[in-house]
Amino acid sequence: MLKESFESLKAIAGLDYNTLAAALGISAKTIQRKEVFDTIQSEKIFELAELYAMGISYFGLEGFRRWMERPLFSIGNRKPLDLIDVSEGLDILKSEIMRLQHGIAI
């Protein structure tokens, strides 16, 4: 994946280099220097982009950004943003959005 794709996600998500670096498991300085991401990092960027696409589709851009910052009872009063560093966390967040989309009570 090219740097341009990463920068697009960064702009849409409204996240800083430090937050995204933590999600990708690399340093912020490394992210700023990279022009092409390896396979594992590219997959993680794709997963994040997929989450943001789902969330923005349901909540709208600003609504989703707020949802990501607000502690949720359904995930142990943690902020969704705190779960983006692991694939399982992304899966949990996608499931939460799907539940909301389908009106399933938590």
Side-chain angles (χ1 to χ4, degrees), residues 6-17:
F6 170 82
E7 291 295 336
S8 294
L9 173 63
K10 181 180 175 294
I12 290 167
L15 301 174
D16 59 27
Y17 281 110

Side-chain angles (χ1 to χ4, degrees), residues 2 7-8 10-11 22 26-27 30 38 42 48 50 54-56 65 71 75 79 86 100 104-105:
L2 297 175
E7 291 295 336
S8 294
K10 181 180 175 294
I26 57 177
S27 75
T30 299
D38 66 28
S42 294
L48 278 168
E50 190 175 53
M54 283 179 71
I56 291 167
R65 286 180 177 176
I75 58 171
K79 292 180 187 176
V86 292
L100 291 168
I104 299 171

Side-chain angles (χ1 to χ4, degrees), residues 19-85:
T19 303
L20 286 168
L24 296 177
I26 57 177
S27 75
K29 287 193 184 284
T30 299
I31 278 187
Q32 292 172 5
R33 284 195 310 265
K34 275 199 179 271
E35 290 303 317
V36 178
F37 291 91
D38 66 28
T39 303
I40 293 170
Q41 294 158 351
S42 294
E43 287 175 3
K44 187 71 170 205
I45 292 167
F46 178 78
E47 286 183 54
L48 278 168
E50 190 175 53
L51 171 69
Y52 271 81
M54 283 179 71
I56 291 167
S57 174
Y58 182 73
F59 293 102
L61 179 59
E62 291 305 317
F64 185 60
R65 286 180 177 176
R66 283 191 301 273
W67 186 80
M68 290 291 288
E69 292 284 341
R70 191 179 69 224
L72 299 178
F73 175 77
S74 60
I75 58 171
N77 288 321
R78 295 181 67 191
K79 292 180 187 176
L81 202 52
D82 294 341
L83 301 180
I84 67 170
D85 59 341

